[in-house]
Amino acid sequence: IAELGKNPNLAVTSIAAHNMIYLQFDAANRAGNKALSDVRVRKALTMAINRDEILKHIAAGGSASKILNAMCFEDMLACDLKPMPPYAYDPAQAKKLLAEAGYANGLEIELASRQPSKDDAVAVAGYWNAVGVKTNVQLMTIVALDKARAEGKLQTYIGERPLTTADASHPMEIFFFDRRRDYWHDETIVKLANDGYTIFDAQQRSQQYKKIFDRINEEAFMLPIHTLPSVYIHSKDVKIFENTLTSYDTNVTEFGWK
């Protein structure tokens, strides 16, 4: 993208989108790597990742790409309260936690990904290898991924996910209520999410879903890494105008001549 942007006849426009790169762990041990059932291991793997470096060097979209601290976007309904942040980058503490969990000599992990998140996967594998976790990156097609996911074969997975419904209940439906995608089997989150459906007061709903996103981060079930903006490479004579209805969408009607 940077190289194309140097072309005097082209321009690059990045627009924020309800799309993210995220990492998930098989805490339910569906895929048979029991180490991931230990919260200390999941915390260690989270602490081994430098999201700021990934954002700076890998994430597309420049300033339009942001670090995420929850599996939702702040402009979504019931996602306006700041959750407990994910565990911060600390490779020394990550090694200590691995040793406490019985993996002082390291362990092996499979990390599945698809083409859109391949660079993020390679970066994460590098961070994990640096703390003694030998990581095998498996690049899959969407068909192979869907099959492996449904069969419970994903130890860890890093991928992209659009959130098309602007409500905090949407990621719950995708990840925790879909049996094919549920790699946590966490009754606490399921109950909190089910109860959330019955709450209509906006502030109470926000507090309810904050509990869910707090628990996801506390248990290191998932790690939101960064947003994934829509990046357009177009003629320098074309301008993409601001969407007056939402800053997270682009329609063909916003494209015009300068």
Side-chain angles (χ1 to χ4, degrees):
I1 293 174
E3 289 301 313
L4 287 171
K6 296 176 182 178
N7 188 317
N9 296 314
L10 299 176
V12 178
T13 301
S14 300
I15 298 175
H18 271 180
N19 202 353
M20 69 169 70
I21 297 291
Y22 72 95
L23 172 69
Q24 70 175 56
F25 300 104
D26 177 24
N29 195 24
R30 289 178 61 185
N33 190 334
K34 67 177 183 178
L36 295 169
S37 298
D38 191 325
V39 67
R40 293 170 297 182
V41 172
R42 300 195 302 272
K43 286 172 63 175
L45 294 174
T46 299
M47 296 172 115
I49 299 170
N50 190 331
R51 295 189 299 160
D52 290 327
E53 281 189 350
I54 292 176
L55 182 71
K56 180 179 179 181
H57 298 293
I58 294 176
S63 61
S65 185
K66 307 291 184 184
I67 292 288
L68 281 172
N69 286 325
M71 290 297 297
C72 66
F73 295 86
E74 289 184 358
D75 67 331
M76 295 169 63
L77 293 174
C79 192
D80 55 320
L81 298 182
K82 294 186 182 299
M84 163 192 165
Y87 296 104
Y89 175 60
D90 189 340
Q93 181 64 16
K95 291 180 180 180
K96 181 179 178 181
L97 284 170
L98 288 171
E100 289 179 2
Y103 301 99
N105 296 323
L107 68 151
E108 295 188 12
I109 280 181
E110 295 175 357
L111 174 60
S113 183
R114 294 200 309 120
Q115 187 65 33
S117 50
K118 178 189 69 174
D119 292 341
D120 292 86
V122 171
V124 167
Y127 289 125
W128 287 353
N129 284 324
V131 296
V133 178
K134 184 178 179 181
T135 308
N136 176 25
V137 176
Q138 300 176 327
L139 194 61
M140 296 182 170
T141 65
I142 185 63
V143 174
L145 173 66
D146 284 346
K147 185 174 186 294
R149 176 163 47 208
E151 294 176 351
K153 294 181 179 179
L154 301 183
Q155 294 183 16
T156 62
Y157 169 66
I158 186 166
E160 76 293 342
R161 180 69 212 185
L163 297 179
T164 54
T165 302
D167 190 278
S169 63
H170 187 46
M172 301 302 104
E173 294 166 355
I174 294 172
F175 297 110
F176 293 92
F177 290 162
D178 185 338
R179 296 181 63 182
R180 299 168 303 169
R181 295 175 179 270
D182 184 3
Y183 276 77
W184 308 279
H185 297 173
D186 190 78
E187 294 181 2
T188 300
I189 287 180
V190 171
K191 184 180 187 310
L192 287 169
N194 277 323
D195 290 346
Y197 283 126
T198 69
I199 300 173
F200 296 95
D201 178 84
Q203 184 61 26
Q204 291 180 13
R205 288 191 79 244
S206 294
Q207 292 171 352
Q208 183 76 0
Y209 282 98
K210 180 182 182 302
K211 295 176 184 176
I212 294 174
F213 297 121
D214 282 347
R215 181 164 177 80
I216 290 173
N217 289 344
E218 182 179 11
E219 293 293 322
F221 286 148
M222 310 176 80
L223 176 66
I225 299 181
H226 60 79
T227 62
L228 190 61
S230 298
V231 180
Y232 299 92
I233 300 171
H234 52 85
S235 166
K236 64 179 178 59
D237 298 321
V238 169
K239 180 178 180 179
I240 302 178
F241 297 90
E242 182 180 356
N243 188 322
T244 57
L245 296 178
T246 171
S247 60
Y248 283 91
D249 195 12
T250 309
N251 296 311
V252 68
T253 53
E254 274 91 55
F255 288 72
W257 299 108
K258 290 183 177 179

